[in-house]
Amino acid sequence: MAGNRVICVSNRLPFSLAADGAACRSVGGLASALGGVGELFGLVWIGWSGAAPSHRTDAVDAAERQAVANAAQTLGCDCRSVPMNQGEADGFYRGLANASLWPLLHDDLAHFRYRPDWWDAYAAVNERFAEAVAGAASPGERVWIHDYHLMLLPGLLRRRRPDLRIGFFLHTPFPSADAFRRHPRREELLAGVLGAGLIGFQTRRHLEHFEEAAQRIGGHACGAGGIRHRRGRTRTGVFPIGIDASRFERGLADPATAAYAERLAAARGGRRLVLSVERLDPTKGIPQKLDAIEAFLELHPGQKEEVEFLLIAVPSREDAPAYRRLREEVEGRVGRINGKHGAPDRVPVRLICRGVGFHELCALYRSADACLVTPLADGMNLVAKEYLACQPEGGGGVLVLSEFAGAADELRGALRVNPHDTLAVAGAIAEALTRPEDARRAALAPMREHVRTHHAGGWATRFLAALDAAAACSRPQPRPTRTLREADLAAFAASAAGRKALFLDYDGTLRGFVDDPERATPQPPLRRVLRALSERDDLDVFIVSGRKLDFLRRHLGGYGFTLVGEHGHAWCKPGEEPEALDDAAGPAWRPVVTATMKRFAEATPGSHVEEKAAGVVWHHRRADRELGRRRALELAEQLVADTAGSAARVTQGKRIVEVTDQRADKGDAVDRFLGEASAAGTPYAAVLCIGDDRTDEAMFRGRRGDPAAVTVRVGPGETAAAFRVAGTDRVLALLCAIAAEPDRALAGV
């Protein structure tokens, strides 16, 4: 597992140490999400143990290290502790992180505070984390930093260890630039995060807010997929976090869960259950939720005998005055509602201000007819996903979900509400309890499946793959890309006595783009060049395109070329019948992808959806350029969430967004045809690949290190190709020279 190791860095380890050294497993969102990821990657977890003595001594530090090692061995994980004393914990954790950054990131300006001594502690602790990570990481290793407690760490670590692949994921929301600029240390915080090679967010909205802040506060340039700054480029992306759904499936199968569910049912006496589970925090909107519950009881008095509300509000930061006041307010409101609407044998609202055991939680999720998840702001909110994971096959639980939770972007079958709209939330509660059973099942089934398939393991895999890709793009290419010159075709020309293969893209390479893709047919100059190429006995030409094979056969079928459509999904060799990969293109993802694209097409004038055998394409060539660019970014991120864990690939091309079968890859197609030639005893003496788009990069990467291969990128953009030409006119001139005299291919070009 060493080669697949990941250093996970967070404020806290996946457990906390009590004063006596005993370890208690953490139940927070990050610890839960990464619970099953250790089976996929070799995790080394670096964080604070929670122990904060008044003074640190060698003996105290040694005892803590031993306690951490014992706990890690018991829990089956590799953990390294970053020590803090009480003063540092107060300034770093309770001060700058939770009294300053937490409310600011959640747009809760009423609770935002700042003190210079908090900042000093925050900076010092981030430095200590940087020292710990730099000392633990092997050369070039992946380091995954989590959340707002460590916003300075990426920059600090980059200065110490520029060789590392550093990723940062923000689990909370990110506010508007106007809100974030209120922080006195806004520039330092932005610069720290931008030390990462990849920054991940829960939603497109949070990413856009960060980019706006990077532009307006930091003065950085933002483009598709990244932010440019003086230290280089930082990639950005949206990676909605999932849960370890299998853990809840195992919990539901446990007899202890079933026994507790029976006790719950007996205690309710037939009354329906509406559940709410959250931390006792101002951002969770508990007072607003209670207002809505009270409005529901007043508007539907007949329901008082039929339904009960259970609010589990787990206390946090009880040493903070604002949190103590919140608990008092919530307890007071619950008492007032029960006093007004209760009876000697029942109360409409039950409040539990403590955590519950895992099996009890599973039973509550399974038993609840509806779940109220109504935060005022939330990065994702995993309670919504946990509730859905615990619903039975064919069940009909209803999720009432705040539109300000990141989960609302994914869980489209939920009843979406504005938590500030008391009557709207009350109405949603009523609808959840009266919605017909078939409608409830129809809404629940796709959300339940989404939670099961878009799990924490897939989230981690996607993020780390993007981190590797970002690191690969930031490394120098083995051969610098430069303008193609005559001497650069030496390998191709030197093989005049052998057969040569030309792999050519179509749109943007052989034919310029037009607004209507169906009108991008070969023009007379191109036809003359193709005819000349077809007349050479020593050339095999392959047209490798994202186009449908039917289009290629109609317009390019008379030249004796091998035609490859849909990025390699289907092909037709000269004189033979068409072939295709076996049709396993993912019926599970196609309907949701098509529906999402059609929704974007309806909202974007000038765009349309094209369905292919191996995928679906959203075209926006005829849309307003800026609107199309923005919608393409939003659509791509939504499709990544829609298709996570499936056999689909999401790519953005030139004014298109495409989802294809992962097996349909131009690089694989080239490898297949070259392999067939070698197997037949007629290997090619030289290979030339020309393309202009991201999908062509797979052809270029596959030819790296081959001295007999020439790879050419058409137009600007980052590329793995060795050479570049300006446009389609230069491609035609190059092909004309090859057709006439391959040993002097660029003469006169």
Side-chain angles (χ1 to χ4, degrees), residues 415-746:
L415 291 177
R416 287 165 54 110
V417 295
N418 181 340
H420 300 280
D421 189 340
T422 300
L423 293 180
V425 179
I429 296 171
E431 181 179 349
L433 295 171
T434 58
R435 179 181 274 189
E437 184 176 358
D438 58 347
R440 286 186 279 117
R441 288 179 174 176
L444 175 68
M447 292 194 294
R448 180 178 178 273
E449 181 64 18
H450 179 89
V451 169
R452 291 179 64 252
T453 56
H454 294 63
H455 47 72
W459 164 72
T461 300
R462 292 193 305 276
F463 183 90
L464 293 170
L467 176 58
D468 290 342
C473 288
S474 67
R475 290 195 295 267
Q477 299 294 343
R479 296 179 294 179
T481 303
R482 53 193 173 88
T483 302
L484 192 63
R485 297 284 183 257
E486 180 178 359
D488 297 325
L489 283 183
F492 199 80
S495 62
R499 295 193 61 77
K500 293 165 282 293
L502 276 64
F503 292 92
L504 309 173
D505 178 39
Y506 184 71
D507 291 286
T509 299
L510 297 179
R511 179 66 164 90
F513 291 102
V514 296
D515 286 344
D516 183 358
E518 287 301 313
R519 295 176 56 197
T521 56
Q523 298 302 293
L526 173 59
R527 290 189 178 279
R528 287 194 294 269
V529 171
L530 296 180
R531 180 62 61 191
L533 289 174
S534 70
E535 292 172 354
R536 293 207 64 94
D537 294 332
D538 58 346
L539 295 178
D540 286 344
V541 179
F542 301 78
I543 307 297
V544 186
S545 172
R547 291 270 188 170
K548 293 179 180 178
L549 186 59
D550 287 345
F551 177 94
L552 300 178
R553 295 182 72 197
R554 281 200 313 273
H555 299 292
L556 300 168
Y559 298 103
F561 300 159
T562 296
L563 304 177
V564 184
E566 300 194 40
H567 310 291
H569 180 267
W571 61 93
C572 185
K573 297 177 181 178
E576 299 183 11
E577 291 298 312
E579 298 180 69
L581 298 175
D582 57 331
D583 192 13
W589 59 258
R590 181 181 284 273
V592 68
V593 163
T594 304
T596 298
M597 286 190 177
K598 287 182 176 179
R599 208 166 50 243
F600 272 75
E602 291 171 0
T604 312
S607 69
H608 70 279
V609 177
E610 177 190 11
E611 296 197 51
K612 301 179 179 180
V616 192
V617 190
W618 182 73
H619 297 265
H620 61 100
R621 186 162 302 283
R622 289 180 288 180
D624 175 80
R625 182 173 292 273
E626 181 57 27
L627 176 62
R629 185 189 71 82
R630 286 188 168 276
R631 289 280 163 77
L633 291 172
E634 295 171 8
L635 174 60
E637 299 298 351
Q638 180 61 53
L639 292 172
V640 168
D642 287 345
T643 60
S646 71
R649 176 193 294 109
V650 180
T651 56
Q652 280 185 263
K654 292 186 176 177
R655 306 196 74 176
I656 66 167
V657 179
E658 185 167 14
V659 181
T660 55
D661 182 351
Q662 286 182 353
R663 301 168 305 153
D665 179 276
K666 289 187 178 182
D668 291 341
V670 172
D671 289 343
R672 181 169 62 249
F673 294 119
L674 294 180
E676 289 177 357
S678 296
T682 57
Y684 291 106
V687 177
L688 173 64
C689 299
I690 310 178
D692 74 304
D693 208 343
R694 294 184 186 181
T695 58
D696 299 308
E697 294 297 315
M699 293 196 300
F700 305 151
R701 287 192 293 270
R703 311 278 71 76
R704 281 180 177 171
D706 182 352
V710 177
T711 53
V712 184
R713 165 81 177 213
V714 183
E718 294 183 2
T719 183
F723 304 103
R724 189 187 305 275
V725 295
T728 56
D729 289 345
R730 299 289 291 172
V731 174
L732 293 188
L734 167 63
L735 295 178
C736 185
I738 290 174
E741 192 177 2
D743 59 342
R744 292 186 56 80
L746 286 183

Side-chain angles (χ1 to χ4, degrees), residues 92 96 117-129 152 156:
F92 159 74
L96 202 288
D117 60 312
W118 289 350
W119 175 260
D120 293 341
Y122 184 84
V125 170
N126 272 254
E127 287 274 10
R128 191 171 302 156
F129 268 85
L152 298 181
L156 296 171

